[in-house]
Amino acid sequence: FSDGRPIGLLEHALLGHVEQTLRAAKVSGDQGVPAELEVVCITRNWGRLFPGLFLFSGPGRLVRPVRCLRSGRTELIGPLEQIFMNISAVPAEREHSEAVLAARRKESGGAAAGPRGTAI
């Protein structure tokens, strides 16, 4: 979905890969992906939520900068995508979140339950 409109089909198994590819292109700024694009990946692990890859680019959206721990670069994120990310303000929060995510993965047999552990 792009700004609420369906734009194509994507296999569920590819959702995470496509999300990470779009996010990397957004942060690098060299693929023509706008830095303000909100990239939201909702997988079946979230239960009752409709799974899909949701892209939002409207000018009236509220975005805030965060530092991506994978790339070290600043990324602008929107309100919906931050729900599905592991965001922390201090190192202790990040360490606690990583421990919780690891425990969830162990309980679910390796598949992440809840936030996928996007390091931001």
Side-chain angles (χ1 to χ4, degrees):
F1 290 86
S2 178
D3 292 324
R5 293 176 298 225
I7 58 172
L9 297 173
L10 184 63
E11 292 180 30
H12 289 283
L14 297 175
L15 283 175
H17 173 73
V18 174
E19 178 217 8
Q20 290 304 317
T21 302
L22 279 171
R23 191 169 303 289
K26 173 180 123 171
V27 173
S28 70
D30 61 359
Q31 302 274 328
V33 177
E36 304 82 22
L37 182 69
E38 185 172 2
V39 181
V40 182
C41 179
I42 302 176
T43 64
R44 290 179 174 165
N45 294 339
W46 284 91
R48 295 185 175 144
L49 298 177
F50 185 76
L53 185 63
F54 300 88
L55 309 173
F56 300 98
S57 62
R61 291 174 19 277
L62 180 69
V63 295
R64 67 183 180 122
V66 295
R67 185 173 55 90
C68 179
L69 296 178
R70 284 191 189 124
S71 67
R73 293 180 147 169
T74 298
E75 178 178 355
L76 296 173
I77 63 164
L80 183 59
E81 71 186 314
Q82 72 182 1
I83 295 170
F84 301 96
M85 299 174 127
N86 183 11
I87 299 175
S88 60
V90 294
E93 288 177 340
R94 188 179 80 225
E95 292 163 5
H96 174 73
S97 294
E98 288 172 353
V100 168
L101 289 170
R104 285 183 182 172
R105 280 189 208 99
K106 185 176 180 181
E107 289 173 6
S108 64
R116 291 184 352 274
T118 303
I120 293 208

